[in-house]
Amino acid sequence: MKTSDFYYDLPQEQIAQTPIEPRDHSRLMVLHRDNDEIEHCHFYDILDYLDEGDCLIVNDSRVIPARIYGVKEDTGAKIEFLLLKQLSGNRWETLVKPGKKAKIGAKFIFGDGLLRAEVVDIVEDGNRIVELQSEENIYTTLDKIGQMPLPPYITAKLEDQERYQTVYSHELGSAAAPTAGLHFTNELLDKIRAKGVNIGYVTLHVGLGTFRPVKVDDVTKHKMHSEHYEIPAETAELIKQTKANGKRVIAVGTTSCRTLESVAASGEIRACDGFTDIFIYPGFTFKVLDGLITNFHLPESTLIMLVSAFYGYDKTMKAYEVAVKEKYRFFSFGDAMAIL
């Protein structure tokens, strides 16, 4: 299977630049796995497609304002850091621009000295390992000086930073939002619970590796970056009970999906944490998922490959063709699909 098999044409104007208000008024394409029917509605209609006893698994990771601008300590040259992943303590894997200014030992200043950084290593793909120093908690400092790391295809200014967070975001650590969850409001979640649908939480801190382009022609040769995940005991138990009762486990987003399937690959779903570099593409055997709520993803991305693995390659590409024709909005601030 070739990367080019997952290409589709998308008019520029269908790349959503701003989020829909209210959140749950985005459009929703419902794809039925049993009869291939496609329905068009709004996200708040998701309530009609969930049954009592089903469970939604959501990713409660919270995006950090991970893009920071500063200067090189000795020369004053301008620098941009994008903090990708906290490794341990104040040591982070970081994307640096321009990279040539960030040799091992180079020191940088951000926010007029509120934050300092030293490059301690350079990893295989050119990312820098940096040691951060701040007089207060790093996350507190980032709230003061950092910017939300919006994807490059969003060029409009984000007026409300919270619109790039899910309403249930809690665990700090992502470099990008788990965007399928952006459509939920607290009111919609209350209605879902009132219907008897359970909601379980997992954490997967989204790194840029999820969104990086696939640069190899042979899909199977692509290597995913690892991301940290955690499944709490109550979520593991909820999934087991849902399955035992013959009800559906529906992942909200590819990150929730990858978390569940990573753990299930090594046995049963259980409380655990670790790192995953699982790459899901057609031919993958799902052990947990009965449904998936997700956004419309970039051509040739690992995310459209995951959707194709769950729904089927031909049906997925057809659904994208329909979405383009029907003028759906695409990518992070775009519309959603539910595969049930």
Side-chain angles (χ1 to χ4, degrees):
M1 188 159 271
K2 294 183 177 179
T3 301
S4 57
D5 292 335
F6 296 91
Y7 179 80
Y8 65 91
D9 275 319
L10 179 68
Q12 188 77 18
E13 62 269 18
Q14 284 180 246
I15 300 174
Q17 292 296 312
T18 53
I20 290 286
E21 292 290 351
R23 290 172 181 257
D24 61 358
H25 279 54
S26 53
R27 293 171 71 192
L28 177 68
M29 176 187 282
V30 182
L31 305 170
H32 296 271
R33 298 170 78 198
D34 55 353
N35 60 12
D36 299 346
E37 183 186 356
I38 297 178
E39 293 184 87
H40 305 283
C41 50
H42 289 91
F43 196 82
Y44 51 74
D45 295 315
I46 191 68
L47 197 62
D48 299 334
Y49 297 92
L50 301 175
D51 299 327
E52 182 180 354
D54 287 345
C55 78
L56 291 178
I57 302 298
V58 303
N59 181 6
D60 65 5
S61 183
R62 187 167 175 80
V63 185
I64 58 175
R67 182 169 274 123
I68 52 177
Y69 297 91
V71 294
K72 195 173 182 187
E73 189 176 83
D74 55 355
T75 65
K78 291 182 179 179
I79 199 82
E80 175 189 339
F81 276 22
L82 180 58
L83 304 178
L84 300 177
K85 182 166 60 180
Q86 187 174 17
L87 301 175
S88 61
N90 288 334
R91 193 161 283 209
W92 289 72
E93 183 175 346
T94 307
L95 189 64
V96 179
K97 289 191 209 170
K100 63 178 184 288
K101 296 190 191 322
K103 295 181 170 61
I104 292 175
K107 297 180 180 180
F108 302 92
I109 302 169
F110 302 89
D112 295 325
L114 286 177
L115 184 69
R116 294 175 179 272
E118 180 178 354
V119 178
V120 296
D121 199 6
I122 300 174
V123 291
E124 190 179 338
D125 57 7
N127 290 346
R128 270 54 177 177
I129 308 301
V130 300
E131 188 80 33
L132 301 181
Q133 290 180 321
S134 176
E135 289 188 3
E136 53 193 352
N137 181 283
I138 293 293
Y139 291 111
T140 304
T141 303
L142 289 175
D143 277 338
K144 294 177 180 176
I145 67 171
Q147 295 184 16
M148 222 28 111
L150 293 179
Y153 51 74
I154 295 177
T155 55
K157 181 176 169 56
L158 181 62
E159 298 299 336
D160 178 6
Q161 301 290 319
E162 280 300 309
R163 287 303 273 107
Y164 196 57
Q165 306 277 15
T166 62
V167 295
Y168 46 75
S169 65
H170 179 68
E171 299 291 335
L172 281 165
S174 277
T179 55
L182 295 178
H183 304 280
F184 288 94
T185 63
N186 284 314
E187 293 75 18
L188 180 57
L189 289 169
D190 287 343
K191 289 177 182 175
I192 288 169
R193 291 188 188 97
K195 192 172 181 178
V197 177
N198 298 300
I199 298 173
Y201 298 88
V202 298
T203 304
L204 183 135
H205 291 317
V206 187
L208 288 197
T210 304
F211 304 96
R212 278 220 167 116
V214 178
K215 294 180 178 177
V216 291
D217 191 39
D218 180 351
V219 166
T220 62
K221 299 289 194 291
H222 178 69
K223 182 78 170 70
M224 296 285 282
H225 285 230
S226 70
E227 296 164 314
H228 187 262
Y229 71 85
E230 182 174 354
I231 296 183
E234 56 267 31
T235 301
E237 187 57 35
L238 172 61
I239 292 168
K240 287 178 188 174
Q241 285 300 319
T242 303
K243 290 288 192 183
N245 294 335
K247 297 297 185 177
R248 297 176 298 175
V249 174
I250 300 166
V252 175
T254 57
T255 57
S256 299
C257 163
R258 291 176 65 242
T259 302
L260 298 181
E261 296 297 335
S262 292
V263 176
S266 57
E268 64 174 0
I269 290 288
R270 66 197 186 285
C272 60
D273 66 277
F275 286 87
T276 179
D277 61 358
I278 189 171
F279 178 23
I280 298 175
Y281 54 88
F284 182 85
T285 301
F286 289 85
K287 295 184 171 64
V288 184
L289 246 63
D290 302 301
L292 176 66
I293 297 170
T294 188
N295 279 20
F296 292 94
H297 304 296
L298 275 71
E300 300 183 342
S301 65
T302 60
L303 304 177
I304 192 174
M305 293 174 190
L306 183 153
V307 174
S308 298
F310 186 65
Y311 186 51
Y313 170 77
D314 290 333
K315 291 193 290 185
T316 298
M317 300 312 289
K318 174 63 177 174
Y320 269 69
E321 192 180 302
V322 171
V324 172
K325 184 182 175 186
E326 295 291 329
K327 298 285 195 289
Y328 275 74
R329 301 166 82 245
F330 280 65
F331 307 161
S332 293
F333 286 145
D335 297 315
M337 65 162 58
I339 307 169
L340 302 169

